[in-house]
Amino acid sequence: MSSRGKTSVQHRIASGLETLFPGYFAVVMATGIISIGAQLVGLGWIAAPLLWLNVVAYALLSVLFLARLLLYFPRVVQDLRDHGRGPGFFTIVAGSAVLGTQLVVVAGRTEPAHWLWWLAIGFWLLIMYSFFTAVVVREQKPTLEEGINGAWLIAIVGTQAVSALGSLLAPGMSAPQPVLFFTLCMYLLGALLYLTIITLIFYRFTFLEMPVERLTPPYWINMGAVAI
């Protein structure tokens, strides 16, 4: 490969890393959900390969996220403050918790699931307070028509995923009652967030113009958030 070709490839990689969509951890969410469902209905031959595939996907996305965080930190902060891209960061929370749940249900591995649970809690605290603080205090805000979409409901998915994994792990802990109380609080908080955000989305659907190009795939999370 010529030096010009190498430079072009490097530029594409750098550009792709800089603009990496924060919501790519949804791959881990979807794969984990299918794997867990397959295991629960007795299709272990589907569940186990998807578990290993998910471990690889999670590791790869984690490396890409850390590289982007180190190399393009201002762009990460810009995305976190954005009404459209910011909610995608909650897929990190949900993906971590879903993978932990997958490890418990499919493989019976509680030790790595504990680490993923604590990691999900840490990311939940960081992203929840950073994103909502940023969109509240920013001076120039989009209209409701432009600012909110179904991706905002990933905040609920992440919250409920932390609750679900903690509830699975609690019986094996030395003090399960405080953990179960925490997961109950997270569940109720998720329900409160759902009622709040779905009300805004319903208002946006009902009283504001809804052109076809704005009816994007994240609106499927309207059902997914309440399902989890």
Side-chain angles (χ1 to χ4, degrees), residues 15-138:
S15 177
L17 187 62
E18 182 181 4
T19 59
L20 187 71
F21 183 58
Y24 277 149
F25 276 87
V27 172
V28 179
M29 294 165 49
T31 306
I33 289 169
I34 294 173
S35 177
I36 293 167
Q39 181 69 23
L40 293 177
V41 298
L43 300 177
W45 60 276
I46 294 178
L50 288 179
L51 169 60
W52 293 112
L53 177 62
N54 222 18
V55 171
V56 173
Y58 185 83
L60 177 60
L61 288 169
S62 297
V63 170
L64 292 175
F65 175 75
L66 288 175
R68 185 173 189 248
L69 190 65
L70 292 173
L71 298 175
Y72 303 104
F73 182 74
R75 184 60 185 269
V76 174
V77 174
Q78 180 182 343
D79 284 349
L80 187 60
R81 298 178 67 248
D82 185 81
H83 284 71
R85 293 173 64 92
F89 284 97
F90 284 105
T91 62
I92 302 175
V93 180
S96 301
V98 168
L99 179 59
T101 302
Q102 190 182 7
L103 286 167
V104 174
V105 174
V106 177
R109 301 291 299 274
T110 58
E111 185 62 29
H114 276 91
W115 287 103
L116 285 168
W117 187 57
W118 286 111
L119 185 65
I121 293 174
F123 273 118
W124 183 89
L125 289 170
L126 177 63
I127 297 170
M128 179 67 72
Y129 284 95
S130 298
F131 171 69
F132 282 106
T133 299
V135 297
V136 167
V137 302
R138 66 180 298 180

Side-chain angles (χ1 to χ4, degrees), residues 7-18:
T7 303
S8 177
V9 172
Q10 292 173 353
H11 176 73
R12 288 185 180 183
I13 293 174
S15 177
L17 187 62
E18 182 181 4

